[in-house]
Amino acid sequence: MMLGHHFKLFSFVFLYSYMAIAIKISLNEGIYLRDPQDSSLGRNIIKHSILLIEDVGFETFNFKKLAQEMNSTEASIYRYFENKHLLLIYLVSWYWEWVSYLIRINTLNIEDPKKKLEIVINSFVSASLDNPSTEFVDESKLHNLIIAEGTKAYHTKEVDDENGKGFFKTYKQLINMVAGVIVEINPTFKYPYALASNLFEMSNNHIYFAKHLPRLTDIQVSENKYSEVEKMLNYFSAKLLGYER
Amino acid sequence: MMLGHHFKLFSFVFLYSYMAIAIKISLNEGIYLRDPQDSSLGRNIIKHSILLIEDVGFETFNFKKLAQEMNSTEASIYRYFENKHLLLIYLVSWYWEWVSYLIRINTLNIEDPKKKLEIVINSFVSASLDNPSTEFVDESKLHNLIIAEGTKAYHTKEVDDENGKGFFKTYKQLINMVAGVIVEINPTFKYPYALASNLFEMSNNHIYFAKHLPRLTDIQVSENKYSEVEKMLNYFSAKLLGYER
DNA sequence: TTTATATGATAGTTTTACTATTATATAAAA
DNA sequence: TTTTATATAATAGTAAAACTATCATATAAA
């Protein structure tokens, strides 16, 4: 039993350091003041900000409440992020990077681009499920946050300035990868980037609509089961790119 | 000359009262404390808030700045709207109502549902152009505001509560009308509401992308000329609903 | 052991988001 | 015409949000 406990602890530590090396998410350094992945306080900021924003909404979320929630201080959080807007960009970027990673590993041995696009769509819709990236990021909660608040990261007056600094590069790379798959399926399709970004945005939008404004969509969701959204996006893609399913 | 002046004034008054009767936009009364259409101060709030939000962005916009801009006081504005969030809902609702109105009058004598959908798409894309609704609402600026800030009206923690109060009814009615056209074109199409809302959101999104994050789209826009967006949306619709263009 | 660095504790400033009060102008009712 | 109701302006104030600054202490690196 003592040995068992010891082993468990060891495997946890191993798992953790493996994760940290293997898929440490690398994000634009301009987003943060100090890399939150490099300290337990930083990881706590990420962890609790996901929970708190999801709970109270981005508008009512602030660093004071976050500090209380994690038993730290406002000033300490300000040493990691200039303001809550940049923290949101960090979280959203994390999500984009995570979805990219999911798509990359799940399409590794896949040749058929139609099958690849199915995996892309499945990753958009259920990036929450399967393997978690790290113990401090709850992917399911993060996905919910993206669905409700994600577009606020780039719908601001600072978008051009921040885009110039490369803050949205991970999103553009993700869309670029998906557009590549679309072109593989149909090289004559005129709107690969628009379709790629639309599939991503539509996925989040219609999950949100199903939950809050159901008359704006046809699909239904129940308890984080998004199979109808997935079916719809696959249907749209097949129709637009001209293949049967 | 005296007569001329008098006549001009008269025609202005006539025009104004005609407008007020003919297309006074009726919006859910819960959105405002006092109907801004009923006083010149109220109309000034609408007029200047559109200009100011478009100029500084919704996050940095506040009632103090708005009051300065229109030579009034913060307290006076608060008698019309509880807070800036409800003012945004008002402006967004106005836009939805205006687009609905445009679609209604422009499809009045049209029989062919495919032609109707083209008019719908044209209204989504260029609701800014053609006839203005009233002299105090700059439709072109309002459209820009919707493109940049529109979805913030319903991406909040209050969405369920406010939806219960009917604040988003005009949006749902608009989408319902468009879904009706879609069903006319193809009665077997499984996602009429999703396609309708997606056409609307996609229109705004890709205009925004073209302006600020061009690598997320394939289309280009120049100086409020959105013909490429229109072409794309028509292409998407035709493909999805299975007809030639 | 020294020194650098991170965090906590505390306090403070400026701006935002309101609320309250009174005065005055204007419109409606008597 | 006078009274009365209502709208707006002017002013002042409060509470919270969004930071910034300082110093003490704990911990890690040199």
Side-chain angles (χ1 to χ4, degrees), chain B residues 149-197:
Chain B
E149 324 279 1
T151 69
K152 292 173 190 170
Y154 50 84
H155 278 96
T156 69
K157 275 287 160 186
E158 292 77 41
V159 63
D160 296 329
D161 177 43
E162 290 173 348
N163 187 36
K165 289 182 192 152
F167 290 4
F168 309 115
K169 211 172 101 188
T170 56
Y171 192 22
K172 293 186 278 189
Q173 283 172 340
L174 170 58
I175 295 309
N176 188 58
M177 173 164 65
V178 177
V181 176
I182 289 167
V183 168
E184 266 192 272
I185 296 174
N186 183 344
T188 68
F189 185 70
K190 283 189 289 273
Y191 306 108
Y193 289 86
L195 177 56
S197 58

Side-chain angles (χ1 to χ4, degrees), chain A residues 109-125:
Chain A
N109 317 308
I110 311 291
E111 285 293 311
D112 181 15
K114 292 170 194 167
K115 190 82 198 149
K116 276 194 216 171
L117 190 58
E118 266 184 53
I119 290 164
V120 165
I121 288 168
N122 180 266
S123 304
F124 285 172
V125 165

Side-chain angles (χ1 to χ4, degrees), chain A residues 136-194:
Chain A
F136 65 96
V137 173
D138 181 333
E139 307 293 341
S140 171
K141 297 257 178 194
L142 181 57
H143 189 206
N144 284 337
L145 190 157
I146 299 301
I147 288 166
E149 323 280 1
T151 69
K152 292 173 190 170
Y154 49 88
H155 278 95
T156 69
K157 274 288 159 185
E158 291 76 41
V159 64
D160 296 330
D161 177 42
E162 291 173 347
N163 187 36
K165 290 182 192 152
F167 290 3
F168 308 116
K169 212 172 100 191
T170 56
Y171 191 22
K172 292 186 276 189
Q173 283 172 340
L174 170 59
I175 295 308
N176 189 57
M177 174 163 65
V178 177
V181 175
I182 289 167
V183 169
E184 268 192 87
I185 296 174
N186 183 343
T188 67
F189 185 69
K190 283 188 288 274
Y191 305 108
Y193 289 86

Side-chain angles (χ1 to χ4, degrees), chain A residues 10-153:
Chain A
F10 174 72
S11 79
F12 167 74
V13 170
F14 171 77
L15 184 71
Y16 169 69
S17 58
Y18 163 76
M19 287 291 191
I21 294 161
I23 55 160
K24 159 150 181 174
I25 307 264
S26 70
L27 299 173
N28 189 305
E29 292 185 10
I31 299 174
Y32 49 79
L33 297 169
R34 185 196 305 287
D35 192 339
Q37 287 176 95
D38 289 348
S39 72
S40 70
L41 177 64
R43 288 186 291 270
N44 255 315
I45 291 172
I46 303 310
K47 178 180 177 174
H48 286 97
S49 63
I50 293 170
L51 302 175
L52 189 55
I53 294 173
E54 219 235 315
D55 187 28
V56 303
F58 187 66
E59 281 73 29
T60 41
F61 165 86
N62 62 44
F63 283 180
K64 193 174 190 178
K65 288 175 189 165
L66 177 58
Q68 281 163 353
E69 202 76 6
M70 49 190 278
N71 292 313
S72 179
T73 64
E74 228 181 327
S76 298
I77 296 166
Y78 274 106
R79 291 196 192 95
Y80 282 84
F81 293 100
E82 266 181 68
N83 51 54
K84 69 176 185 174
H85 172 238
L86 285 162
L87 171 54
L88 180 64
I89 291 182
Y90 184 91
L91 297 175
V92 171
S93 298
W94 182 292
Y95 183 78
W96 289 329
E97 199 62 59
W98 167 243
V99 173
S100 299
Y101 167 80
L102 267 187
I103 293 172
R104 235 179 291 118
I105 59 159
N106 286 318
T107 56
L108 261 179
N109 317 308
I110 311 291
E111 285 293 311
D112 181 15
K114 292 170 194 167
K115 190 82 198 149
K116 276 194 216 171
L117 190 58
E118 266 184 53
I119 290 164
V120 165
I121 288 168
N122 180 266
S123 304
F124 285 172
V125 165
S126 55
S128 37
L129 307 173
D130 18 74
N131 27 7
S133 64
T134 68
E135 29 65 81
F136 65 96
V137 173
D138 181 333
E139 307 293 341
S140 171
K141 297 257 178 194
L142 181 57
H143 189 206
N144 284 337
L145 190 157
I146 299 301
I147 288 166
E149 323 280 1
T151 69
K152 292 173 190 170

Side-chain angles (χ1 to χ4, degrees), chain B residues 5 8-9 13 18 34 58 75 81 83 89 99 109 119-120 125 132 151 153-155 189 191 235:
Chain B
H5 181 263
K8 228 171 175 178
L9 190 71
V13 169
Y18 162 78
R34 186 194 307 285
F58 187 66
F81 293 100
N83 51 54
I89 292 182
V99 173
N109 318 308
I119 291 165
V120 165
V125 166
T151 69
Y154 50 84
H155 278 96
F189 185 70
Y191 306 108
Y235 178 83

Side-chain angles (χ1 to χ4, degrees), chain B residues 49 52-53 56-69 74 77-78 84 87:
Chain B
S49 63
L52 189 56
I53 294 173
V56 303
F58 187 66
E59 282 72 28
T60 40
F61 166 85
N62 63 44
F63 282 0
K64 193 173 189 177
K65 289 175 187 165
L66 178 59
Q68 281 163 356
E69 201 76 6
E74 229 180 326
I77 295 167
Y78 274 107
K84 70 175 184 174
L87 171 55

